């Protein structure tokens, strides 16, 4: 009989998922693009690059990059021009969030450039962007005290949040710094376990929504406990994938659970011998008359 837990890559489930940390492997996030025939190349440092067949989308998986931006994705209306939009994830970001994005990107690419290069509605960009915020609100994220030029939401535990910047932004800074239209972050308040993701102004809203849907998904993520950073282990709720076996019963436990025997007969329950006869025990009456 197959063990359903055998295919789970981890020994614990992590709640909430935004405290799971990275899996330290990029394969699951690259797979949705590679199955479409995107070109895979690498460099001498071990960085990996994936390019769409039309050369209008490029992904970099950069473990040896210049900063902590492990994942960088850019899309181009003109393959020789500046990026139309850009998305990034740092090295602490749960890989499942990146996989959710690349899965949506693969679907958009198959649907055509009108989908993977779709800009937010110019007539109401903020209203269009609200579609990506709805999953967070529906799952209990709270809108914070308004700040000039920023709409902010946080989880009830304060361990994850989203900032949506309003107004005009510098396109170059959006692609090279954290000053982007969309900024998600999470993790313990201090330490190296914090993650972030950014998306620039013209990122198609369905792609941003794929990220917010994954980040706010209530289902846990599997992890190997010993590979998790200490800050995450101490902050998140961990539940074993395989429940621990029940403890070996002690002799006292055995005695408590053993079936009780029927009580033995005692002298109180056995009729005692008596010289007094009962009517049922009386001898037959003697015949009257002389004996012969």
């Amino acid at each position: 009989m197959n063990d359903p837990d055998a295919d789970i890559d981890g020994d614990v489930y992590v709640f909430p998922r935004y405290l799971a940390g990275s899996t330290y492997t990029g394969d699951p996030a690259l797979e949705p693009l590679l199955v479409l025939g995107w070109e895979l190349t690498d460099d001498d440092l071990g960085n990996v690059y994936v390019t769409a067949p039309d050369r209008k989308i490029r992904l970099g998986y950069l473990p040896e990059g210049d900063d902590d931006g492990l994942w960088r994705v850019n899309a181009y209306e003109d393959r020789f021009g500046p990026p139309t939009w850009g998305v990034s994830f740092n090295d602490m970001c749960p890989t499942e969030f990146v996989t959710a994005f690349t899965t949506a990107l693969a679907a958009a690419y198959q649907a055509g450039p009108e989908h993977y290069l779709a800009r937010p509605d110019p007539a109401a960009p903020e209203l269009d962007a609200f579609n990506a915020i709805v999953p967070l609100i529906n799952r209990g994220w709270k809108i914070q005290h308004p700040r000039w030029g920023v709409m902010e939401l946080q989880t009830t535990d304060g361990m994850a949040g989203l900032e949506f910047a309003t107004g005009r932004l510098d396109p170059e800074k959006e692609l090279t710094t954290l000053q982007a239209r969309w900024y998600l972050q999470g993790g313990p308040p201090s330490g190296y376990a914090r993650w972030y993701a950014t998306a620039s102004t013209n990122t198609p809203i369905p792609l941003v929504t794929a990220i917010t849907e994954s980040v706010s998904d209530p289902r846990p993520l599997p992890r190997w406990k010993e590979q998790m950073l200490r800050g995450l282990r101490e902050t998140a709720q961990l539940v074993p994938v395989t429940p621990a076996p029940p403890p070996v019963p002690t002799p006292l436990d055995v005695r408590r659970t053993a079936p009780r025997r029927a009580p033995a007969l005692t002298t109180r329950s056995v009729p005692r011998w008596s010289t007094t006869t009962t009517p049922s025990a009386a001898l037959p009456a003697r015949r009257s008359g002389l004996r012969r």
Side-chain angles (χ1 to χ4, degrees):
M1 184 175 181
N2 293 330
D3 183 0
D5 295 336
D7 296 332
I8 298 175
D9 190 12
D11 58 1
V12 293
Y13 287 117
V14 183
F15 302 82
R17 58 171 40 206
Y18 49 78
L19 296 178
S22 176
T23 61
Y24 306 107
T25 177
D27 293 347
L30 296 175
E31 184 65 19
L33 306 178
L34 296 180
V35 297
L36 297 182
W38 290 33
E39 182 183 5
L40 174 68
T41 59
D42 57 22
D43 60 23
D44 296 337
L45 298 176
N47 298 312
V48 173
Y49 307 92
V50 177
T51 307
D54 64 1
R55 305 291 174 179
K56 288 189 175 182
I57 306 178
R58 303 168 191 165
L59 177 148
Y61 175 67
L62 311 170
E64 299 300 328
D66 296 331
D67 53 31
D68 65 348
L70 181 62
W71 299 89
R72 295 192 180 278
V73 185
N74 290 334
Y76 304 80
E77 291 177 333
D78 180 352
R79 69 187 69 176
F80 300 108
T84 302
W85 59 259
V87 170
S88 71
F89 304 86
N90 80 330
D91 53 359
M92 290 292 103
C93 188
T95 311
E96 291 83 357
F97 301 169
V98 187
T99 303
F101 170 79
T102 57
T103 300
L105 178 59
Y109 186 78
Q110 287 184 295
E114 65 275 15
H115 292 272
Y116 68 81
L117 292 174
R119 296 171 181 257
D121 184 356
E126 294 178 5
L127 182 60
D128 196 17
F130 191 74
N131 292 321
I133 298 174
V134 168
L136 306 180
I137 296 176
N138 287 343
R139 290 168 176 168
W141 291 43
K142 303 299 183 183
I143 298 177
Q144 302 302 296
H145 185 74
R147 290 186 288 141
W148 178 258
V150 176
M151 178 182 182
E152 181 180 5
L153 291 88
Q154 283 190 8
T155 56
T156 54
D157 61 8
M159 296 288 182
L162 174 142
E163 294 182 7
F164 174 76
T166 60
R168 182 174 178 81
L169 301 179
D170 185 321
E172 184 176 352
K173 287 184 177 181
E174 283 200 80
L175 298 172
T176 57
T177 72
L178 299 182
Q179 299 176 34
R181 182 70 62 189
W182 300 91
Y183 173 70
L184 289 102
Q185 51 79 28
S190 60
Y192 298 101
R194 294 194 63 78
W195 62 266
Y196 68 77
T198 68
S200 67
T201 295
N202 292 323
T203 305
I205 296 303
L207 302 186
V208 180
T209 305
I211 303 173
T212 59
E213 284 274 6
S214 182
V215 172
S216 61
D217 191 328
R219 292 175 297 178
L221 295 177
R223 289 293 185 270
W224 297 102
K225 183 177 179 179
E226 293 304 316
Q227 293 182 3
M228 295 179 64
L229 295 178
R230 179 179 176 181
L232 296 175
R233 294 198 307 266
E234 294 177 347
T235 306
Q237 178 184 354
L238 308 181
V239 177
V241 169
T242 303
V248 177
T250 65
L252 181 58
D253 294 330
V254 173
R255 290 180 58 186
R256 288 173 175 168
T257 58
R260 302 181 68 88
R261 297 181 180 178
L265 293 177
T266 65
T267 56
R268 290 177 178 268
S269 60
V270 177
R272 298 185 64 178
W273 178 82
S274 172
T275 58
T276 303
T277 58
T278 63
S280 61
L283 294 175
R286 292 185 181 186
R287 294 181 182 180
S288 59
L290 300 174
R291 295 178 65 185
R292 292 182 180 179

mmCIF file of all heavy atoms in Angstrom, residues 43-70:
data_model
loop_
_atom_site.group_PDB
_atom_site.id
_atom_site.type_symbol
_atom_site.label_atom_id
_atom_site.label_comp_id
_atom_site.label_asym_id
_atom_site.label_seq_id
_atom_site.Cartn_x
_atom_site.Cartn_y
_atom_site.Cartn_z
ATOM 1 N N ASP A 43 25.515 30.501 -16.523
ATOM 2 C CA ASP A 43 26.836 31.091 -16.636
ATOM 3 C C ASP A 43 27.818 30.327 -15.750
ATOM 4 O O ASP A 43 27.447 29.351 -15.077
ATOM 5 C CB ASP A 43 26.819 32.588 -16.297
ATOM 6 C CG ASP A 43 26.339 32.868 -14.880
ATOM 7 O OD1 ASP A 43 26.434 31.968 -14.014
ATOM 8 O OD2 ASP A 43 25.871 33.998 -14.612
ATOM 9 N N ASP A 44 29.057 30.769 -15.744
ATOM 10 C CA ASP A 44 30.095 30.067 -14.999
ATOM 11 C C ASP A 44 29.891 30.148 -13.493
ATOM 12 O O ASP A 44 30.466 29.355 -12.743
ATOM 13 C CB ASP A 44 31.477 30.639 -15.360
ATOM 14 C CG ASP A 44 31.838 30.403 -16.822
ATOM 15 O OD1 ASP A 44 31.257 29.458 -17.412
ATOM 16 O OD2 ASP A 44 32.668 31.158 -17.367
ATOM 17 N N LEU A 45 29.086 31.097 -13.041
ATOM 18 C CA LEU A 45 28.876 31.279 -11.609
ATOM 19 C C LEU A 45 27.748 30.405 -11.067
ATOM 20 O O LEU A 45 27.581 30.286 -9.850
ATOM 21 C CB LEU A 45 28.563 32.747 -11.310
ATOM 22 C CG LEU A 45 29.661 33.763 -11.671
ATOM 23 C CD1 LEU A 45 29.166 35.183 -11.403
ATOM 24 C CD2 LEU A 45 30.929 33.469 -10.894
ATOM 25 N N GLY A 46 26.957 29.829 -11.964
ATOM 26 C CA GLY A 46 25.824 29.029 -11.528
ATOM 27 C C GLY A 46 24.498 29.735 -11.614
ATOM 28 O O GLY A 46 23.472 29.188 -11.190
ATOM 29 N N ASN A 47 24.466 30.948 -12.168
ATOM 30 C CA ASN A 47 23.205 31.638 -12.396
ATOM 31 C C ASN A 47 22.502 31.032 -13.601
ATOM 32 O O ASN A 47 23.149 30.596 -14.564
ATOM 33 C CB ASN A 47 23.443 33.131 -12.630
ATOM 34 C CG ASN A 47 24.067 33.806 -11.431
ATOM 35 O OD1 ASN A 47 23.617 33.633 -10.299
ATOM 36 N ND2 ASN A 47 25.126 34.582 -11.668
ATOM 37 N N VAL A 48 21.183 31.008 -13.558
ATOM 38 C CA VAL A 48 20.386 30.364 -14.604
ATOM 39 C C VAL A 48 19.487 31.413 -15.259
ATOM 40 O O VAL A 48 18.921 32.280 -14.573
ATOM 41 C CB VAL A 48 19.530 29.225 -14.018
ATOM 42 C CG1 VAL A 48 18.571 28.669 -15.063
ATOM 43 C CG2 VAL A 48 20.432 28.112 -13.481
ATOM 44 N N TYR A 49 19.341 31.312 -16.576
ATOM 45 C CA TYR A 49 18.522 32.258 -17.336
ATOM 46 C C TYR A 49 17.551 31.474 -18.211
ATOM 47 O O TYR A 49 17.935 30.493 -18.871
ATOM 48 C CB TYR A 49 19.403 33.154 -18.202
ATOM 49 C CG TYR A 49 20.505 33.832 -17.413
ATOM 50 C CD1 TYR A 49 21.762 33.238 -17.298
ATOM 51 C CD2 TYR A 49 20.288 35.042 -16.768
ATOM 52 C CE1 TYR A 49 22.775 33.835 -16.562
ATOM 53 C CE2 TYR A 49 21.288 35.651 -16.028
ATOM 54 C CZ TYR A 49 22.532 35.043 -15.924
ATOM 55 O OH TYR A 49 23.530 35.631 -15.185
ATOM 56 N N VAL A 50 16.294 31.905 -18.209
ATOM 57 C CA VAL A 50 15.253 31.272 -19.018
ATOM 58 C C VAL A 50 14.622 32.351 -19.890
ATOM 59 O O VAL A 50 14.209 33.403 -19.390
ATOM 60 C CB VAL A 50 14.196 30.599 -18.131
ATOM 61 C CG1 VAL A 50 13.087 29.998 -18.982
ATOM 62 C CG2 VAL A 50 14.837 29.524 -17.258
ATOM 63 N N THR A 51 14.535 32.082 -21.203
ATOM 64 C CA THR A 51 14.057 33.082 -22.164
ATOM 65 C C THR A 51 12.904 32.516 -22.971
ATOM 66 O O THR A 51 12.960 31.365 -23.436
ATOM 67 C CB THR A 51 15.188 33.510 -23.108
ATOM 68 O OG1 THR A 51 16.315 33.935 -22.335
ATOM 69 C CG2 THR A 51 14.741 34.645 -24.009
ATOM 70 N N ALA A 52 11.860 33.319 -23.144
ATOM 71 C CA ALA A 52 10.705 32.901 -23.927
ATOM 72 C C ALA A 52 11.089 32.771 -25.402
ATOM 73 O O ALA A 52 12.024 33.426 -25.874
ATOM 74 C CB ALA A 52 9.577 33.912 -23.768
ATOM 75 N N PRO A 53 10.386 31.937 -26.155
ATOM 76 C CA PRO A 53 10.698 31.767 -27.572
ATOM 77 C C PRO A 53 10.678 33.063 -28.375
ATOM 78 O O PRO A 53 11.464 33.219 -29.324
ATOM 79 C CB PRO A 53 9.608 30.797 -28.054
ATOM 80 C CG PRO A 53 9.261 30.003 -26.837
ATOM 81 C CD PRO A 53 9.360 30.984 -25.704
ATOM 82 N N ASP A 54 9.806 34.023 -28.017
ATOM 83 C CA ASP A 54 9.758 35.284 -28.765
ATOM 84 C C ASP A 54 10.729 36.329 -28.208
ATOM 85 O O ASP A 54 10.762 37.462 -28.675
ATOM 86 C CB ASP A 54 8.330 35.849 -28.793
ATOM 87 C CG ASP A 54 7.813 36.222 -27.413
ATOM 88 O OD1 ASP A 54 8.564 36.059 -26.425
ATOM 89 O OD2 ASP A 54 6.655 36.669 -27.312
ATOM 90 N N ARG A 55 11.528 35.919 -27.184
ATOM 91 C CA ARG A 55 12.549 36.780 -26.572
ATOM 92 C C ARG A 55 11.962 38.001 -25.866
ATOM 93 O O ARG A 55 12.690 38.950 -25.553
ATOM 94 C CB ARG A 55 13.563 37.266 -27.637
ATOM 95 C CG ARG A 55 14.214 36.140 -28.416
ATOM 96 C CD ARG A 55 15.131 35.347 -27.527
ATOM 97 N NE ARG A 55 15.681 34.170 -28.204
ATOM 98 C CZ ARG A 55 16.528 33.316 -27.648
ATOM 99 N NH1 ARG A 55 16.901 33.499 -26.396
ATOM 100 N NH2 ARG A 55 16.976 32.270 -28.310
ATOM 101 N N LYS A 56 10.669 37.967 -25.547
ATOM 102 C CA LYS A 56 10.050 39.130 -24.914
ATOM 103 C C LYS A 56 9.885 38.976 -23.402
ATOM 104 O O LYS A 56 9.428 39.909 -22.738
ATOM 105 C CB LYS A 56 8.703 39.432 -25.566
ATOM 106 C CG LYS A 56 8.842 40.008 -26.971
ATOM 107 C CD LYS A 56 7.512 40.508 -27.503
ATOM 108 C CE LYS A 56 7.698 41.200 -28.854
ATOM 109 N NZ LYS A 56 6.408 41.743 -29.360
ATOM 110 N N ILE A 57 10.235 37.817 -22.861
ATOM 111 C CA ILE A 57 10.227 37.613 -21.412
ATOM 112 C C ILE A 57 11.519 36.902 -21.036
ATOM 113 O O ILE A 57 11.902 35.912 -21.668
ATOM 114 C CB ILE A 57 9.023 36.790 -20.932
ATOM 115 C CG1 ILE A 57 7.707 37.395 -21.412
ATOM 116 C CG2 ILE A 57 9.016 36.702 -19.400
ATOM 117 C CD1 ILE A 57 6.482 36.587 -21.009
ATOM 118 N N ARG A 58 12.171 37.405 -20.016
ATOM 119 C CA ARG A 58 13.425 36.809 -19.553
ATOM 120 C C ARG A 58 13.367 36.648 -18.042
ATOM 121 O O ARG A 58 12.965 37.570 -17.321
ATOM 122 C CB ARG A 58 14.612 37.688 -19.939
ATOM 123 C CG ARG A 58 14.712 37.953 -21.444
ATOM 124 C CD ARG A 58 15.708 39.053 -21.748
ATOM 125 N NE ARG A 58 15.620 39.491 -23.141
ATOM 126 C CZ ARG A 58 16.158 40.605 -23.607
ATOM 127 N NH1 ARG A 58 16.845 41.397 -22.799
ATOM 128 N NH2 ARG A 58 16.028 40.931 -24.887
ATOM 129 N N LEU A 59 13.758 35.482 -17.597
ATOM 130 C CA LEU A 59 13.810 35.196 -16.165
ATOM 131 C C LEU A 59 15.238 34.883 -15.770
ATOM 132 O O LEU A 59 15.937 34.142 -16.468
ATOM 133 C CB LEU A 59 12.896 34.017 -15.823
ATOM 134 C CG LEU A 59 12.883 33.520 -14.365
ATOM 135 C CD1 LEU A 59 11.501 32.982 -13.990
ATOM 136 C CD2 LEU A 59 13.937 32.426 -14.134
ATOM 137 N N GLY A 60 15.664 35.417 -14.656
ATOM 138 C CA GLY A 60 16.972 35.102 -14.108
ATOM 139 C C GLY A 60 16.841 34.510 -12.720
ATOM 140 O O GLY A 60 16.144 35.064 -11.860
ATOM 141 N N TYR A 61 17.477 33.356 -12.516
ATOM 142 C CA TYR A 61 17.585 32.746 -11.187
ATOM 143 C C TYR A 61 19.036 32.940 -10.787
ATOM 144 O O TYR A 61 19.932 32.308 -11.340
ATOM 145 C CB TYR A 61 17.204 31.265 -11.255
ATOM 146 C CG TYR A 61 17.401 30.510 -9.968
ATOM 147 C CD1 TYR A 61 16.629 30.799 -8.846
ATOM 148 C CD2 TYR A 61 18.347 29.492 -9.877
ATOM 149 C CE1 TYR A 61 16.802 30.102 -7.659
ATOM 150 C CE2 TYR A 61 18.523 28.790 -8.700
ATOM 151 C CZ TYR A 61 17.750 29.095 -7.591
ATOM 152 O OH TYR A 61 17.936 28.399 -6.424
ATOM 153 N N LEU A 62 19.274 33.849 -9.819
ATOM 154 C CA LEU A 62 20.604 34.415 -9.620
ATOM 155 C C LEU A 62 21.151 34.163 -8.209
ATOM 156 O O LEU A 62 21.288 35.083 -7.406
ATOM 157 C CB LEU A 62 20.552 35.922 -9.888
ATOM 158 C CG LEU A 62 19.858 36.335 -11.196
ATOM 159 C CD1 LEU A 62 19.649 37.847 -11.224
ATOM 160 C CD2 LEU A 62 20.643 35.850 -12.393
ATOM 161 N N PRO A 63 21.493 32.915 -7.897
ATOM 162 C CA PRO A 63 22.080 32.652 -6.577
ATOM 163 C C PRO A 63 23.419 33.345 -6.371
ATOM 164 O O PRO A 63 23.838 33.566 -5.243
ATOM 165 C CB PRO A 63 22.222 31.127 -6.550
ATOM 166 C CG PRO A 63 22.235 30.714 -7.988
ATOM 167 C CD PRO A 63 21.346 31.680 -8.690
ATOM 168 N N GLU A 64 24.092 33.701 -7.467
ATOM 169 C CA GLU A 64 25.379 34.412 -7.384
ATOM 170 C C GLU A 64 25.251 35.827 -7.935
ATOM 171 O O GLU A 64 26.185 36.372 -8.514
ATOM 172 C CB GLU A 64 26.459 33.641 -8.144
ATOM 173 C CG GLU A 64 26.715 32.242 -7.605
ATOM 174 C CD GLU A 64 27.175 32.250 -6.154
ATOM 175 O OE1 GLU A 64 27.857 33.231 -5.761
ATOM 176 O OE2 GLU A 64 26.856 31.305 -5.417
ATOM 177 N N GLY A 65 24.073 36.422 -7.743
ATOM 178 C CA GLY A 65 23.849 37.781 -8.212
ATOM 179 C C GLY A 65 24.493 38.815 -7.318
ATOM 180 O O GLY A 65 25.126 38.505 -6.306
ATOM 181 N N ASP A 66 24.302 40.085 -7.676
ATOM 182 C CA ASP A 66 24.935 41.187 -6.944
ATOM 183 C C ASP A 66 24.228 41.527 -5.637
ATOM 184 O O ASP A 66 24.786 42.231 -4.792
ATOM 185 C CB ASP A 66 24.996 42.437 -7.837
ATOM 186 C CG ASP A 66 25.868 42.218 -9.061
ATOM 187 O OD1 ASP A 66 26.809 41.405 -8.974
ATOM 188 O OD2 ASP A 66 25.600 42.856 -10.099
ATOM 189 N N ASP A 67 22.985 41.075 -5.457
ATOM 190 C CA ASP A 67 22.240 41.379 -4.232
ATOM 191 C C ASP A 67 21.384 40.180 -3.872
ATOM 192 O O ASP A 67 21.578 39.081 -4.400
ATOM 193 C CB ASP A 67 21.413 42.658 -4.400
ATOM 194 C CG ASP A 67 20.512 42.607 -5.636
ATOM 195 O OD1 ASP A 67 20.078 41.493 -6.005
ATOM 196 O OD2 ASP A 67 20.233 43.663 -6.226
ATOM 197 N N ASP A 68 20.418 40.397 -2.977
ATOM 198 C CA ASP A 68 19.584 39.272 -2.532
ATOM 199 C C ASP A 68 18.400 39.022 -3.449
ATOM 200 O O ASP A 68 17.536 38.194 -3.133
ATOM 201 C CB ASP A 68 19.106 39.496 -1.096
ATOM 202 C CG ASP A 68 18.185 40.703 -0.968
ATOM 203 O OD1 ASP A 68 18.089 41.492 -1.929
ATOM 204 O OD2 ASP A 68 17.574 40.870 0.105
ATOM 205 N N GLY A 69 18.325 39.709 -4.583
ATOM 206 C CA GLY A 69 17.258 39.471 -5.549
ATOM 207 C C GLY A 69 17.501 38.167 -6.301
ATOM 208 O O GLY A 69 18.110 38.161 -7.373
ATOM 209 N N LEU A 70 17.024 37.067 -5.744
ATOM 210 C CA LEU A 70 17.295 35.754 -6.327
ATOM 211 C C LEU A 70 16.567 35.546 -7.649
ATOM 212 O O LEU A 70 17.110 34.935 -8.575
ATOM 213 C CB LEU A 70 16.881 34.667 -5.329
ATOM 214 C CG LEU A 70 17.111 33.215 -5.757
ATOM 215 C CD1 LEU A 70 18.585 32.936 -5.986
ATOM 216 C CD2 LEU A 70 16.538 32.258 -4.705
#
